[in-house]
Amino acid sequence: MHRPVLLLVAHGSRDPRHAATVRALVRRVRSLRPGLRVETGFLDFDTPTVSGVLERLAAEGVRDVVAQPLLLTRAFHAKTDIPAVLRGAPAALRIRQAAVLGPSPLLVSALERRLYEAGLDPADRSSTGVVLASAGSSDPEAIAVIAEIAREWRRTGWCAVRPAFASASLPRTEDAVRALRDVDGVRRVAVAPYVLAPGFLPDRIARGAAGADVLADVLGPAPEVARLLVRRYDEAYAPDTCPVAPLARIPALA
């Protein structure tokens, strides 16, 4: 029996670094699971589009697909955009929409990997305050998740951890950097972008980190992110998991 195709659903960006990072992550996922067919589709700006990939897979005779959102929080794209695209998929496809990536201890490990790569040492934890800088969302559930990650991360030994958002919500990265110094009295401040790939909002995070001592890179193709993608795929493909696409095609009630 053939395993479902893994379709990574990326947001897309006008910034070419975004697609390049997504493709680097795809290569790492393929190295972890040889033989698994991994495809990529973009919701906007880049090609191939998600709908185009689904049509091509159906034309090739593929029947089962796991659609994995390359998203860290369950907000508008995961709740609305992606299900809408899947509703328009060819009827021959059985599609399971996997859970978003976060929250997960693997993502926290990836954040710390990037901080250490940027120059921090594990011995610096107790004297370092961290800004957990996410893209931001108008969805209260997504904002609450980021705040909870910051609270839990603080308990692992960092001097302080404050959330920040590049759009839609406050505080901004520069405000969180200032609060760590002026309110929390932190000597060393690091900014950890909780984003997968470069682009407009990650660049805004970087500008807001001008007053910090350390700026980590985006999560990108970190090994922990690739392992988490494989885990979400396996969870979605569990025998007792029902395909979501037939349900998604039921017209929504007014």
Side-chain angles (χ1 to χ4, degrees):
M1 179 179 179
H2 293 289
R3 291 181 65 83
V5 171
L6 171 57
L7 172 59
L8 301 184
V9 181
H11 182 275
S13 171
R14 293 186 177 91
D15 190 323
R17 296 174 298 167
H18 177 92
T21 302
V22 170
R23 292 186 174 106
L25 180 56
V26 168
R27 289 193 294 271
R28 192 175 286 275
V29 171
R30 287 172 175 156
S31 71
L32 288 177
R33 190 62 65 85
L36 173 63
R37 181 172 178 181
V38 184
E39 298 281 349
T40 307
F42 296 92
L43 291 173
D44 208 351
F45 303 119
D46 288 303
T47 56
T49 64
V50 177
S51 57
V53 174
L54 291 171
E55 289 170 4
R56 173 166 54 82
L57 291 175
E60 293 176 9
V62 171
R63 290 297 172 261
D64 292 290
V65 175
V66 169
Q68 171 64 63
L70 283 181
L71 300 170
L72 299 176
T73 57
R74 187 173 178 272
F76 183 80
H77 292 304
K79 295 177 179 179
T80 304
D81 283 353
I82 293 176
V85 173
L86 299 183
R87 277 198 296 270
L93 292 176
R94 294 183 293 266
I95 305 174
R96 292 170 170 84
Q97 181 177 329
V100 297
L101 296 177
S104 168
L106 283 169
L107 291 175
V108 174
S109 295
L111 287 166
E112 294 186 345
R113 171 188 293 275
R114 294 305 190 219
L115 286 170
Y116 298 147
E117 290 172 348
L120 283 183
D121 186 273
D124 297 329
R125 295 169 74 95
S126 63
S127 60
T128 302
V130 179
V131 177
L132 178 67
S134 76
S137 173
S138 59
D139 189 306
E141 177 186 345
I143 298 303
V145 166
I146 299 299
E148 180 61 20
I149 293 171
R151 283 192 293 269
E152 291 298 319
W153 200 14
R154 162 68 179 82
R155 296 190 179 104
T156 66
W158 296 97
C159 180
V161 180
R162 284 181 174 262
F165 308 94
S167 68
S169 303
L170 297 174
R172 295 288 183 257
T173 302
E174 54 268 33
D175 300 325
V177 169
R178 191 161 42 248
L180 283 171
R181 294 201 190 280
D182 299 344
V183 178
D184 299 321
V186 173
R187 291 192 299 107
R188 183 188 296 107
V189 175
V191 174
Y194 190 63
V195 292
L196 284 171
F200 177 77
L201 293 179
D203 283 349
R204 179 180 288 177
I205 290 172
R207 290 193 298 271
D213 301 291
V214 174
L215 170 62
D217 199 358
V218 299
L219 297 174
E224 296 84 358
V225 178
R227 286 166 51 200
L228 183 56
L229 281 167
V230 172
R231 178 179 297 178
R232 293 287 186 254
Y233 170 84
D234 290 338
E235 292 168 350
Y237 186 50
D240 57 350
T241 303
C242 294
V244 301
L247 296 178
R249 292 191 179 97
I250 298 174
L253 298 177

